[in-house]
């Protein structure tokens, strides 16, 4: 009984207190180091404070996910959408842990930085696709010129491409129907709540407010965002030359990272995908963009740890 109480107290240790432990500071220093440590700690605390569900996760899992993001030089800021720390209920361990999940904007960042190719990914709206030849990989589209009308138009498919400096080019087009089938196959949260049929009703505004809680999956809240990520992952992982960072990101995507560096892949049905959706859909006010991108944004409660971190 005493052991259980001790474990419970250990699990309830605040993130700020956890991050100031010598062993943890040494772990952070080994990846981040120097003055960047204070920025890193501040960014973790800010991300956790904006996502209450993360506060229930074990501190080591939060730190491991954040350290991987840092190693990949990606921002943990939920508003930037480069990567997320997604809570899930680990029933085997009897606790909640944070899963590392790469956003489609993170894929774009890593691909561009690799220097191998230029790339693009785009949702194709109704009436825009003229022709796509999967053999020659030639696409003909007539894009809607009015941005507002285009944004309001229903999505009919997704297109992704990359091209190397030597001229090698690879393209891919998926219809929305194919993407819906993919989502139903790989997202338990999407499938169990009606999948494509429920998404159609949701888009038509026919879901009663009292039932909206069922549709918290990222595939419901931002289907196009998840679709764009899927297109990039399919394209790059199958045909792209991947940098070390890209290989690492794809390998660790959708995993809970253990303290020893190993990855534990979890059942999609256990993921609280609504956390990702809520994070991705938040917009950064123009005046906040610079501070967030530079990693200097602060929230209440971060100043004390910033001032004391790495003083020893």
């Amino acid at each position: 009984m005493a052991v259980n109480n001790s474990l419970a107290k250990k699990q309830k240790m605040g993130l700020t207190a956890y991050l100031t432990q010598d062993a943890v500071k040494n772990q952070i220093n080994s990846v981040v180091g120097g003055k960047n440590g204070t920025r890193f700690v501040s960014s973790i605390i800010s991300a956790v404070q904006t996502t209450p569900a993360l506060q229930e996760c074990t501190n080591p899992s939060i730190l491991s996910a954040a350290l991987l993001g840092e190693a990949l030089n990606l921002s943990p800021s939920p508003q930037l959408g480069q990567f997320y720390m997604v809570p899930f209920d680990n029933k085997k361990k009897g606790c909640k842990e944070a899963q590392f999940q790469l956003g489609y904007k993170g894929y774009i960042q890593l691909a561009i930085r690799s220097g191998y190719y230029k790339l693009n990914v785009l949702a194709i709206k109704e009436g825009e696709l003229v022709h796509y030849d999967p053999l020659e990989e030639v696409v003909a589209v007539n894009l809607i010129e009015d941005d507002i009308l285009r944004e309001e138009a229903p999505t009919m498919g997704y297109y992704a491409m990359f091209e190397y400096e030597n001229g090698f080019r690879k393209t891919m087009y998926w219809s929305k129907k194919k993407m819906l089938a993919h989502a139903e196959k790989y997202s338990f949260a999407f499938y169990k709540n009606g999948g494509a049929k429920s998404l159609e009703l949701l888009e038509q505004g026919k879901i009663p407010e009292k039932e909206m809680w069922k549709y918290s999956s990222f595939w419901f809240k931002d289907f196009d965002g998840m679709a764009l990520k899927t297109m990039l992952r399919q394209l790059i992982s199958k045909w792209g030359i991947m940098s070390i960072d890209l290989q690492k990101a794809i390998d660790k995507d959708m995993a809970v990272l253990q303290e020893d560096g190993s990855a534990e892949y979890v059942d999609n049905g256990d993921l609280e995908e609504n956390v990702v959706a809520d994070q991705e859909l938040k917009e950064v006010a123009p005046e906040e963009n610079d501070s967030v991108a530079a990693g200097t944004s602060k929230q209440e409660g971060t100043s004390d740890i910033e001032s004391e971190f790495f003083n020893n």
Side-chain angles (χ1 to χ4, degrees):
M1 210 45 194
V3 174
N4 290 336
N5 289 335
S6 176
L7 287 174
K9 291 180 180 178
K10 186 175 182 180
Q11 291 174 350
K12 291 181 181 179
M13 177 184 291
L15 181 62
T16 300
Y18 174 77
L19 293 173
T20 56
Q21 295 180 110
D22 288 340
V24 175
K25 288 197 289 186
N26 290 336
Q27 184 180 358
I28 294 174
N29 257 326
S30 66
V31 177
V32 185
K35 295 180 180 179
N36 285 328
T38 55
R39 171 194 55 75
F40 173 74
V41 168
S42 176
S43 66
I44 297 179
I45 294 176
S46 294
V48 172
Q49 285 179 337
T50 58
T51 309
L54 271 176
Q55 298 172 19
E56 302 176 29
C57 294
T58 62
N59 291 325
S61 68
I62 293 174
L63 178 60
S64 295
L67 283 173
L68 175 57
E70 179 68 20
L72 296 172
N73 197 25
L74 297 176
S75 170
S77 170
Q79 294 88 348
L80 294 182
Q82 294 181 356
F83 80 93
Y84 305 99
M85 294 177 285
V86 185
F88 89 101
D89 189 9
N90 190 327
K91 296 176 182 177
K92 294 179 180 179
K93 296 182 180 179
C95 63
K96 285 191 175 183
E97 293 184 310
Q99 177 212 49
F100 175 85
Q101 189 169 126
L102 196 63
Y104 83 88
K105 296 174 185 176
Y107 270 101
I108 292 174
Q109 284 287 320
L110 294 174
I112 291 174
R113 286 182 208 157
S114 71
Y116 293 128
Y117 39 73
K118 61 181 180 180
L119 78 164
N120 194 13
V121 61
L122 184 71
I124 303 298
K125 300 295 184 173
E126 185 176 51
E128 291 186 329
L129 181 66
V130 177
H131 175 69
Y132 179 71
D133 182 350
L135 293 178
E136 297 295 332
E137 297 188 354
V138 176
V139 64
V141 295
N142 185 18
L143 298 180
I144 299 172
E145 294 183 2
D146 189 304
D147 290 339
I148 295 178
L149 291 178
R150 188 174 194 280
E151 186 68 26
E152 294 175 348
T155 298
M156 301 305 293
Y158 305 92
Y159 172 78
M161 63 77 66
F162 70 70
E163 183 176 347
Y164 295 140
E165 291 185 357
N166 64 9
F168 175 79
R169 180 183 176 91
K170 195 69 182 177
T171 72
M172 187 169 65
Y173 175 81
W174 280 18
S175 66
K176 187 171 183 178
K177 183 178 180 180
K178 181 174 181 178
M179 189 62 71
L180 285 166
H182 175 89
E184 290 185 341
K185 181 177 181 179
Y186 291 102
S187 173
F188 179 76
F190 186 71
Y191 171 76
K192 75 174 181 179
N193 287 305
K197 292 182 179 179
S198 292
L199 180 64
E200 183 178 0
L201 293 174
L202 190 66
E203 292 174 339
Q204 295 173 353
K206 295 182 179 180
I207 300 294
E209 186 64 32
K210 63 180 181 180
E211 296 181 10
M212 288 296 290
W213 63 272
K214 298 178 182 178
Y215 308 102
S216 58
S217 165
F218 198 4
W219 282 103
F220 284 119
K221 286 199 170 185
D222 188 11
F223 188 89
D224 282 357
M226 284 296 285
L228 295 178
K229 173 183 172 178
T230 299
M231 294 295 287
L232 288 172
R233 184 183 180 95
Q234 292 285 327
L235 191 69
I236 293 173
S237 64
K238 290 182 178 179
W239 294 289
I241 296 176
M242 292 189 289
S243 64
I244 298 299
D245 282 349
L246 264 173
Q247 293 179 42
K248 183 186 297 183
I250 290 177
D251 180 56
K252 303 296 185 183
D253 191 20
M254 306 291 286
V256 171
L257 306 175
Q258 306 302 314
E259 292 182 79
D260 62 1
S262 61
E264 179 182 352
Y265 299 90
V266 300
D267 181 359
N268 284 342
D270 294 330
L271 289 175
E272 295 186 17
E273 294 180 286
N274 58 305
V275 174
V276 183
D278 290 341
Q279 290 177 355
E280 176 91 328
L281 296 177
K282 290 179 181 176
E283 294 184 359
V284 185
E287 62 269 21
E288 293 178 353
N289 280 332
D290 294 339
S291 62
V292 172
T296 57
S297 60
K298 293 184 181 181
Q299 293 193 22
E300 184 179 353
T302 63
S303 58
D304 291 341
I305 190 169
E306 286 178 358
S307 62
E308 69 177 85
F309 203 79
F310 295 122
N311 280 343
N312 296 330

